[in-house]
């Protein structure tokens, strides 16, 4: 479902002496439907960068990133937008809120964009907000003023409201208590059972072991950064 | 996956000089139905010049602006007759000016401002026109009780919302906006943006929005074009251009605002 081939990324900071940061060099791997793969590696290794490249948020200089039959690297903006609407979900580390929009609509929004009726979309949103223990009195408020953990749960509800065939999760369990962490892990397990191909970043090792089938150590592909895992399972060949 | 095959607007190599001075040069892009494109860039970079060339307020020196008309399909609007283009401006196209007073008739009531555009496309039934005008005032969050008041008695934000109602009442397919939130204070801006966002989605509009405000494009635009000295220096998916800008000027632009 998700297939990376010889993917590389450098940042050129034109206004800082044209400094070039090589972050990812020659990554190849694939994720099958129903599989969850963890990206691991030290802070700064490029986990979030790689995830953003797969989402089309960061530009990829070379290689290909196929989601189904679309190569995100070469796709036009409108194709990427259609992919994000229909196929590719992303739970980022932080919720980016549109001012004034009530939580229930924030969560229902991805379904509305797919043409689902307001009623059905809201019902599904309510179901998720309830599961994620967001008190009903908050549903009509904008999440702008919510606590970090509440915002994160709204973000997760929004990310899981549609059954995306491919999902990217950047630290979905960070800043959650044990109960809500459990809910999120069950959501991931259910998405896998439903056939979603998932790539996740989890600092929470126990969570990773529970939901992930494989790990890919991104440090291996970071020029100038040596692998900190040392495990054979993380080598390029097995990752591909 | 659902993507349209034919662009609604196809812009090819638009250039406009003011004497020896470049207004804009070599601008090309395709806009598809339902897409919203933002144009950003420093003051004097040619954003308004480009927009005015696209709608026919200025005649470009070179290039084509091909619009997919309802009746005749794709047609170059730079070579169509003045009356044909004026008709487009009343029906399928809308232009939201930065200063509401440039887009409104200040001596006519709020209801009249909205109704006028309906009459221009042939609506004659007074009751229908008034009902539609009132409905649109409510959609842009102006109290229907103000329908007979003149825009001169409205605040800047209300005037801007009235201008939007006047433009959208005829169900255009393409909306051009030049700094639609300029000159409004921040909370009024947020409200206006939220409104625009809802309208764009509900009506399936395509839009081209010129602004210097990166938060505005983040919120409204699917795609972004960055202009400098009359030329497009970078274009792409909005969040990609904002989060991973490639060109030195785009990087400078993005890094000079606090957070968007
Ligand atoms: N938009 C950007 N522009 C320039 N450099 C960037 C950008 N985004 C990330 N980087 C750089 O890329 C490198 C990898 O960052 P990334 O955020 O991917 O790391 P990470 O593995 O997710 O780390 P963490 O575990 O701390 O979240 C860092 O050196 C970072 O500074
Ligand atoms: N009527 C005119 N006669 C001569 N030069 C003009 C005219 N209109 C614009 N220009 C020049 O063309 C260039 C582009 O101007 P334009 O108004 O398109 O910029 P802009 O990007 O819209 O700027 P702003 O953000 O300040 O509105 C500028 O250098 C401007 O001085
Ligand atoms: Mg990270
Ligand atoms: Mg201008």
């Amino acid at each position: 479902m998700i297939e990376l081939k010889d993917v590389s990324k450098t940042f050129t900071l034109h206004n800082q002496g044209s400094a070039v940061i090589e972050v990812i060099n020659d990554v190849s791997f694939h994720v099958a439907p129903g599989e969850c793969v963890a990206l691991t590696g030290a802070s700064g290794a490029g986990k979030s960068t790689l995830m953003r490249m797969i989402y089309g948020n960061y530009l990829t200089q070379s290689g290909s990133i196929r989601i189904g039959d679309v190569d995100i690297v070469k796709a036009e903006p409108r194709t990427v937008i259609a992919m994000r609407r229909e196929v590719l979900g992303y739970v980022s580390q932080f919720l980016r809120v549109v001012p004034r929009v009530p939580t229930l609509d924030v969560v229902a929004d991805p379904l509305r964009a797919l043409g689902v009726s307001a009623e059905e979309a809201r019902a599904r949103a309510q179901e998720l907000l309830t599961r994620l223990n967001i008190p009903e009195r908050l549903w009509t408020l904008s999440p702008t003023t919510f606590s970090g953990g509440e915002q994160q749960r709204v973000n997760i509800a929004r990310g899981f409201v549609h059954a995306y065939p491919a999902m990217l999760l950047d630290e979905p369990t960070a800043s959650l208590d044990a109960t809500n962490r459990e809910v999120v892990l069950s959501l991931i397990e259910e998405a896998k059972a439903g056939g979603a191909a998932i790539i996740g970043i989890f600092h929470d090792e126990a969570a990773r072991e529970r939901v992930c089938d494989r790990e890919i150590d991104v440090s291996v592909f970071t020029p100038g950064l040596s692998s900190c895992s040392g495990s054979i399972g993380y080598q390029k060949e097995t990752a591909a | 996956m659902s993507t349209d095959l034919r662009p609604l607007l196809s812009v090819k190599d638009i250039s406009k000089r003011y004497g020896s001075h470049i207004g804009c040069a070599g601008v090309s892009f395709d806009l598809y139905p339902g897409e919203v494109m933002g144009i950003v860039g420093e003051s004097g970079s040619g954003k308004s010049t480009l927009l005015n060339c696209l709608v026919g307020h200025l005649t470009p020196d070179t290039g084509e602006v091909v619009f997919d008309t309802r009746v005749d399909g794709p047609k170059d609007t730079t070579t169509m007759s003045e009356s044909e283009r004026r008709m487009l401006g009343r029906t399928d196209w809308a232009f939201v000016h930065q200063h509401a007073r440039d887009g409104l008739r200040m001596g006519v009531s709020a209801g009249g401002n909205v109704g006028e555009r309906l009459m221009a496309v042939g609506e004659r039934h007074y009751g229908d026109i008034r009902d539609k005008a009132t409905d649109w005032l409510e959609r842009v969050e102006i109290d229907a009780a103000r329908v007979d008041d003149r825009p001169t008695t409205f605040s800047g934000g209300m005037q801007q919302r009235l201008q939007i109602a006047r433009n959208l009442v005829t169900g255009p397919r393409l909306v051009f906006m030049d700094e639609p939130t300029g000159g409004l204070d921040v909370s009024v801006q947020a409200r206006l943006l939220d409104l625009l966002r809802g309208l764009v989605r509900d009506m399936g509009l395509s839009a081209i929005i010129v602004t210097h405000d990166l938060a505005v494009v983040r919120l409204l635009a699917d795609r972004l074009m960055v202009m400098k000295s009359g030329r497009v220096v970078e274009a792409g998916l909005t969040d990609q251009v904002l989060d991973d800008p490639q060109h030195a000027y785009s990087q400078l632009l993005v890094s000079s605002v606090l957070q968007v």
Side-chain angles (χ1 to χ4, degrees):
Chain A
M1 185 65 210
I2 305 175
E3 185 169 18
L4 281 71
K5 269 210 184 100
D6 308 326
V7 164
S8 300
K9 172 77 182 161
T10 55
F11 291 105
T12 305
L13 309 178
H14 293 288
N15 301 300
Q16 293 179 54
S18 292
V20 176
I21 310 173
E22 291 186 34
V23 184
I24 307 275
N25 183 30
D26 237 5
V27 182
S28 301
F29 66 89
H30 74 274
V31 185
E35 207 181 14
C36 178
V37 169
L39 301 180
T40 62
S43 176
K47 304 180 292 296
S48 300
T49 297
L50 188 56
M51 193 169 268
R52 283 162 170 254
M53 289 159 67
I54 299 169
Y55 196 57
N57 175 229
Y58 281 1
L59 204 75
T60 299
Q61 272 101 354
S62 61
S64 68
I65 300 177
R66 302 191 78 84
I67 316 284
D69 49 15
V70 172
D71 181 359
I72 288 286
V73 176
K74 295 202 180 71
E76 283 185 59
R78 66 199 183 99
T79 308
V80 177
I81 287 168
M83 285 296 286
R84 290 176 177 182
R85 188 168 54 228
E86 294 162 31
V87 180
L88 183 61
Y90 174 42
V91 176
S92 59
Q93 271 181 285
F94 302 100
L95 177 67
R96 197 188 285 280
V97 288
V98 175
R100 297 213 311 161
V101 179
T103 296
L104 195 60
D105 293 341
V106 168
V107 175
D109 187 67
L111 287 179
R112 297 287 289 131
L114 281 165
V116 174
S117 74
E119 205 176 319
E120 198 183 324
R122 287 208 171 144
R124 174 87 182 120
Q126 286 175 359
E127 190 188 306
L128 275 163
L129 287 168
T130 307
R131 266 188 88 177
L132 286 154
N133 302 298
I134 301 287
E136 199 173 336
R137 65 184 160 78
L138 298 180
W139 294 359
T140 54
L141 306 177
S142 157
T144 344
T145 57
F146 290 6
S147 75
E150 283 166 350
Q151 289 196 5
Q152 180 60 359
R153 279 178 279 147
V154 172
N155 208 13
I156 289 161
R158 187 181 152 89
F160 279 88
V161 77
H162 168 56
Y164 298 98
M167 293 190 79
L168 308 169
L169 312 172
D170 197 344
E171 304 268 6
T173 55
S175 72
L176 297 186
D177 57 35
T179 316
N180 286 307
R181 173 180 174 274
E182 186 55 37
V183 176
V184 173
L185 294 179
S186 320
L187 284 170
I188 297 172
E189 284 166 343
E190 288 163 27
K192 282 177 70 180
I198 302 177
I199 296 179
I201 300 172
F202 301 88
H203 279 148
D204 174 352
E205 213 169 304
R208 191 160 73 216
E209 299 216 324
R210 182 166 138 196
V211 297
C212 297
D213 304 296
R214 278 184 295 140
E215 296 185 1
I216 290 171
D217 185 347
V218 174
S219 319
V220 173
F221 309 99
T222 315
L225 218 163
S226 63
S227 165
C228 49
S229 66
S231 160
I232 334 151
Y234 302 153
Q235 296 308 304
K236 266 190 190 176
E237 308 85 70
T238 45
Chain B
M1 266 200 345
S2 45
T3 47
D4 289 283
L5 294 175
R6 194 157 83 183
L8 182 65
L9 188 75
S10 187
V11 174
K12 295 184 189 116
D13 193 34
I14 288 292
S15 301
K16 175 74 188 172
R17 283 173 173 280
Y18 299 105
S20 64
H21 188 82
I22 291 175
C24 66
V27 180
S28 301
F29 64 88
D30 286 333
L31 188 76
Y32 286 84
E35 268 190 323
V36 177
M37 188 174 80
I39 304 178
V40 297
E42 66 196 350
S43 181
S45 56
K47 307 182 293 296
S48 298
T49 300
L50 173 62
L51 204 63
N52 284 313
C53 285
L54 299 183
V55 292
H57 296 165
L58 288 173
T59 308
D61 301 328
T62 68
E64 289 177 14
V65 179
V66 178
F67 180 69
D68 190 3
T69 62
R70 282 187 219 224
V71 182
D72 304 321
K75 250 187 137 169
D76 183 3
T77 62
T78 60
T79 54
M80 70 175 41
S81 73
E82 184 57 40
S83 67
E84 211 177 342
R85 196 165 50 225
R86 204 176 306 130
M87 198 57 202
L88 261 188
R90 287 196 199 124
T91 54
D92 271 350
W93 287 8
F95 192 94
V96 176
H97 294 262
Q98 172 171 3
H99 300 290
R101 71 184 69 83
D102 295 334
L104 289 174
R105 292 231 291 154
M106 299 307 278
V108 173
S109 70
N113 263 286
V114 180
E116 195 176 53
R117 234 181 102 108
L118 286 170
M119 293 198 297
V121 294
E123 290 235 18
R124 287 290 169 265
H125 190 275
Y126 177 76
D128 285 352
I129 293 174
R130 194 175 164 92
D131 286 352
K132 274 196 192 160
T134 312
D135 175 50
W136 265 97
L137 291 185
E138 281 170 349
R139 284 177 77 166
V140 299
E141 303 174 19
I142 294 174
D143 188 346
R146 307 283 310 256
V147 65
D148 295 318
D149 295 349
R150 290 189 179 181
T152 40
T153 66
F154 287 4
S155 71
M158 283 169 77
Q159 287 181 4
Q160 196 56 297
R161 279 179 274 138
L162 179 62
Q163 191 193 184
I164 288 163
R166 175 182 159 97
N167 270 285
L168 297 190
V169 67
T170 50
R173 291 192 291 155
L174 177 58
V175 183
F176 301 89
M177 301 189 224
D178 196 352
E179 301 277 3
T181 60
L184 300 175
D185 73 45
V186 183
S187 66
V188 178
Q189 271 189 29
R191 214 165 145 204
L192 191 70
L193 284 176
D194 193 25
L195 175 84
L196 281 173
R197 199 169 170 274
L199 291 173
V200 165
R201 169 172 299 175
D202 295 346
M203 301 176 71
L205 295 175
S206 305
I208 299 179
I209 302 178
V210 163
T211 178
H212 62 271
D213 189 335
L214 300 186
V216 168
V217 292
R218 168 89 75 183
L219 208 61
L220 288 178
D222 304 313
R223 292 163 54 190
L224 188 58
M225 230 163 63
V226 182
M227 291 187 68
K228 183 180 185 335
S229 310
R231 292 174 194 279
V232 176
V233 295
E234 182 164 355
L237 197 65
T238 300
D239 60 89
Q240 187 256 295
V241 175
L242 293 178
D243 294 336
D244 187 15
Q246 304 295 307
H247 190 276
Y249 175 69
S250 322
Q251 291 186 358
L252 195 65
L253 197 72
V254 169
S255 65
S256 37
V257 289
L258 287 174
Q259 204 221 2
V260 286

